Amino acid sequence: MLTQGAGGNTSVKCDGELWVKASGAWMRDAEERSIFVPVRLDVLVEAVARADEPALDALMRASVTSDGLRPSIEAAMHAVMPQRAVVHAHAINSTICAVLADGEARFRGAVDEIGVSGCVIPYIKPGLSLALEIARLNAESGAADILLLQNHGVVVAAESMREAYDLLCAMERTLDFPVRMQFEQSSMNADDGPVAPGFERDGAHAAIARDVELCAALAAAPLTPDQVVFLGGAPCVVRPDETLEAAARRAFAESGVAPALFYLPGKGAFRRANLTAGEAAQCEALVEIARRLPRDCAVVGLETDAARALGAWEAEQFRRAADAARA
Ligand SMILES: [Zn+2]
């Protein structure tokens, strides 16, 4: 519920360095292997202040460790937060808040209840653009304790990692979207057709696809960058006269990306067979979001151009390659 696959990242500023999670590394591996990379904080802050993308890229390359760990895409965002400990997560309740039309009001209510300062950041491409926007807002109104990143997730910051973690948990507890739909993994309809080679049934997503309202909301647009990066965008809606293979070919021709999920509205859902661990984690995260979406509120997805920009970005291609290579 707090982190899925390689998504999210944490950092601590210590002795002039930003120790930040490596791109593509999984937070859950932190106690088994090295997943953090030190980056020179003064050089990083300077590159961001000048909005100097080449200098930032050079610093990221220079920071790659001997075992190939590369600093997170979000290192710049961590650097512009003045607090010592920063946690960025795609935590489920916060992410739901970040995709609802009335999410900003819900977020402000939660922040008031917890008694901390909060700021809502409209969707902006992760990386330097997001860092610059946060730096601008910090200069304008002071650094907030919690940032809601629209169509993305949440950032919490404090002077210790313990406080930051507690704050993240408080935010999740306070937002607390109840589960509205229990999924039976074995409840696929019999009339959803045979499984084509290269695909498998997905019971949880089938329940979403059979709910007309939810199906429409999820198929309209991807909700977050990680859904674009790992699932190839919104679930592909299979037309009544179309086979799964034909739908996959059509989706690829339209967007250049092979989607991971296929919905047959009112009937069922399939996923590409042999998903990587990262792709499967994102499939599950989407279920956790969908089953909690409130009925009385519109869902706002990513705009087409924003989603396209992510697919072509080298930093995101690196995350996909790291996922494919993960043992
Ligand atoms: Zn993120």
Side-chain angles (χ1 to χ4, degrees):
M1 292 295 286
L2 294 180
T3 172
Q4 309 82 25
N9 31 69
T10 62
S11 74
V12 171
K13 299 175 186 78
C14 183
D15 297 332
E17 286 177 316
L18 176 82
W19 283 82
V20 66
K21 199 204 71 163
S23 185
W26 289 40
M27 216 91 88
R28 75 167 187 206
D29 294 340
E31 293 186 346
E32 282 156 35
R33 62 183 83 155
S34 176
I35 66 159
F36 288 92
V37 186
V39 182
R40 278 271 307 271
L41 190 54
D42 54 350
V43 182
L44 181 53
V45 167
E46 178 69 12
V48 176
R50 291 198 316 265
D52 188 341
E53 192 115 44
L56 190 60
D57 286 347
L59 177 63
M60 293 298 110
R61 277 195 302 277
S63 304
V64 174
T65 63
S66 56
D67 42 0
L69 296 181
R70 161 174 168 166
S72 162
I73 288 172
E74 300 294 9
M77 172 183 79
H78 287 260
V80 300
M81 300 291 288
Q83 298 94 331
R84 188 166 171 272
V86 177
V87 177
H88 163 50
H90 307 152
I92 297 297
N93 289 286
S94 298
T95 305
I96 292 170
C97 193
V99 303
L100 292 178
D102 69 354
E104 178 159 359
R106 291 173 191 259
F107 173 76
R108 299 213 179 280
V111 161
D112 285 350
E113 198 176 321
I114 301 169
V116 291
S117 59
C119 183
V120 176
I121 318 264
Y123 178 79
I124 188 162
K125 188 182 165 195
L128 182 59
S129 315
L130 176 57
L132 288 170
E133 179 60 9
I134 292 174
R136 189 184 69 77
L137 289 165
N138 285 350
E140 207 173 88
S141 44
D145 302 305
I146 310 187
L147 309 176
L148 184 73
L149 309 181
Q150 297 277 33
N151 287 103
H152 186 163
V154 67
V155 180
V156 297
E159 286 313 307
S160 74
M161 191 50 77
R162 181 80 234 177
E163 284 172 87
Y165 173 76
D166 288 346
L167 195 47
L168 173 63
C169 294
M171 192 64 199
E172 285 290 292
R173 240 185 352 257
T174 308
L175 287 171
D176 189 29
F177 291 94
V179 172
R180 300 180 36 263
M181 184 189 249
Q182 298 294 343
F183 294 137
E184 285 284 337
Q185 290 292 327
S186 58
S187 66
M188 291 288 286
N189 282 353
D191 64 352
D192 54 12
V195 184
F199 298 87
E200 49 194 41
R201 294 181 200 280
D202 188 310
H205 280 283
I208 298 170
R210 281 201 295 271
D211 182 311
V212 177
E213 208 180 306
L214 259 187
C215 181
L218 265 74
L223 303 181
T224 64
D226 272 19
Q227 195 187 337
V228 175
V229 172
F230 292 102
L231 301 184
C236 170
V237 173
V238 182
R239 294 168 182 163
D241 57 345
E242 205 174 34
T243 62
L244 271 175
E245 293 101 319
R249 279 196 300 274
R250 171 175 56 80
F252 188 80
E254 282 168 9
S255 66
V257 186
L261 287 168
F262 295 83
Y263 284 3
L264 284 70
K267 290 187 172 176
F270 295 86
R271 61 205 261 172
R272 246 184 15 245
N274 308 320
L275 292 185
T276 64
E279 291 164 347
Q282 289 306 320
C283 277
E284 286 160 31
L286 189 55
V287 168
E288 294 304 337
I289 290 170
R291 70 202 300 215
R292 290 175 173 81
L293 285 172
R295 282 292 147 145
D296 53 352
C297 184
V299 175
V300 183
L302 277 175
E303 289 183 11
T304 310
D305 289 351
R308 283 230 168 95
L310 290 163
W313 190 18
E314 188 275 338
E316 293 292 19
Q317 288 163 2
F318 176 86
R319 286 212 300 155
R320 267 199 300 273
D323 178 44
R326 189 182 153 86

